[in-house]
Amino acid sequence: MKKFLTLFLSALFIFALAACGSAEDDSSSNGSETGNESGESSSEEELEEVVIGASSTPHAEILEKAKPILKDKGINLKIETYQEYILPNKDLASGALDANYFQHTPYLKEQKQEFDYDFTSLGPVHNEPMGVYSKNITNVDEIPEGTEVIMRRSESEHGRILSLFEKQGLITLKEGVEKKSATIDDVAKNPKNLEFSPDVDAGLLPQNYEREEDALVAINTNYAIEAGLNPTEDSLFIEGDDSPYANLLVTKTENKDSEALKTVLEVLQSEEIRSFIKEEYKGAIVPVK
């Protein structure tokens, strides 16, 4: 009996030692694997996230093209798309965005005055020549007297549209008036008695073009493209590529020295993106010179 008990205890002791050894081996193995994983994680480059709000066309499309280029430069670009012009600035002011890309200088100036935004333009990226469209009118010389001109309600666009009509010889603005700031009240001569109707939201202009077949409709290029219009082919007349209404990358003034945002602008103004804009939009969107 004593011999049996001695053998039993010896076997139990050997088993315990083997179990301890196995546990130590497992622990050592796990520690080694954890160390490798940690090493791999620490060797991965950390990307800096930048959130930019943009109109869906063409701004978000251009940003998508820039996204892989920015990733190579250590920036993870997140794009928030918008279908209208009010929210991108509100979201930038609230901190939901790091920057936005959809507006030109006159609109930015108007928004800053109206809402007291402390925003700064980092620089221009592209121009969207404004076009005037009509379903039934196919020649400038054949515009009937009293034709309605439908235009967006934002006053920041009125001088731009009126200047476009003046270049076509359809109206004359008062002498000494700054073209960008001109209003309908600044029209000095209107031989065809065109009826300017500045009371439509920008996003609804294509619908007015479809519905008001005998009217002239001034449509921003991004909305024209979304509606299936080709600005260079379907417009009755259009701005040249020297338009001063370049679309800007905008941020809060406190962030104007951000290296990440400077890199974003650098990429958006790069030859690769310029070539993409030229090839993709065939003159409807023009990269800044």
Side-chain angles (χ1 to χ4, degrees):
M1 182 69 177
K2 285 184 179 182
K3 186 176 181 180
F4 175 79
L5 182 60
T6 300
L7 290 172
F8 175 79
L9 291 175
S10 296
L12 185 62
F13 179 72
I14 292 170
F15 177 81
L17 286 175
C20 288
S22 176
E24 288 173 0
D25 289 342
D26 288 344
S27 175
S28 175
S29 175
N30 289 338
S32 175
E33 290 175 2
T34 302
N36 288 337
E37 290 176 357
S38 176
E40 290 173 1
S41 176
S42 62
S43 68
E44 291 179 356
E45 184 178 6
E46 289 292 331
L47 298 180
E48 181 175 356
E49 183 174 271
V50 173
V51 184
I52 298 181
S55 297
S56 56
T57 304
H59 307 78
E61 297 167 350
I62 295 170
L63 288 172
E64 284 289 351
K65 184 66 176 180
K67 199 170 184 176
I69 304 173
L70 288 167
K71 186 174 183 180
D72 290 340
K73 294 179 179 291
I75 294 174
N76 177 30
L77 178 62
K78 183 177 180 182
I79 305 165
E80 297 290 343
T81 59
Y82 295 83
Q83 298 300 324
E84 49 79 61
Y85 291 151
I86 298 298
L87 287 179
N89 278 336
K90 287 187 176 181
D91 286 352
L92 178 58
S94 73
L97 302 174
D98 296 309
N100 63 41
Y101 168 40
F102 77 100
Q103 62 194 319
H104 53 56
T105 298
Y107 185 75
L108 174 61
K109 182 179 179 180
E110 177 189 89
Q111 288 277 291
K112 288 169 68 173
Q113 290 176 341
E114 183 174 355
F115 297 103
D116 198 30
Y117 291 139
D118 189 13
F119 292 167
T120 296
S121 167
L122 296 174
V125 180
H126 74 265
N127 276 304
E128 297 180 12
M130 173 75 75
V132 175
Y133 302 78
S134 179
K135 275 284 190 180
N136 290 340
I137 302 170
T138 58
N139 190 300
V140 173
D141 295 331
E142 297 174 0
I143 296 174
E145 183 170 346
T147 295
E148 182 182 14
V149 178
I150 300 173
M151 47 200 281
R152 59 181 289 195
R153 68 175 76 252
S154 174
E155 291 187 2
S156 65
E157 291 284 291
H158 293 178
R160 178 183 190 180
I161 296 167
L162 293 170
S163 297
L164 187 53
F165 274 80
E166 186 178 50
K167 284 185 177 181
Q168 295 296 317
L170 295 169
I171 64 170
T172 302
L173 295 172
K174 293 177 182 177
E175 189 174 346
V177 170
E178 184 181 1
K179 306 294 186 183
K180 291 181 182 180
S181 305
T183 67
I184 294 171
D185 293 335
D186 294 317
V187 176
K189 296 180 181 179
N190 184 4
K192 288 182 177 287
N193 294 312
L194 301 176
E195 182 185 342
F196 292 94
S197 303
D199 56 359
V200 178
D201 290 332
L204 298 178
L205 289 168
Q207 296 179 27
N208 280 262
Y209 161 74
E210 293 290 344
R211 184 175 62 248
E212 307 295 338
E213 296 186 352
D214 295 316
L216 298 172
V217 187
I219 308 177
N220 297 79
T221 291
N222 59 314
Y223 289 117
I225 292 174
E226 287 180 0
L229 295 169
N230 184 322
T232 57
E233 296 179 3
D234 297 329
S235 62
L236 185 60
F237 51 93
I238 193 169
E239 288 175 330
D241 60 9
D242 59 347
S243 168
Y245 295 89
N247 283 222
L248 313 167
L249 182 66
V250 176
T251 189
K252 287 184 177 180
T253 301
E254 65 189 60
N255 296 328
K256 66 183 179 65
D257 295 322
S258 163
E259 291 301 322
L261 290 177
K262 288 180 181 178
T263 300
V264 172
L265 180 65
E266 178 184 298
V267 170
L268 290 176
Q269 292 179 338
S270 69
E271 190 57 40
E272 185 171 351
I273 296 301
R274 285 171 52 82
S275 296
F276 167 75
I277 292 173
K278 290 176 183 178
E279 294 170 8
E280 182 71 15
Y281 301 106
K282 312 297 183 186
I285 308 295
V286 184
V288 293
K289 296 179 180 178

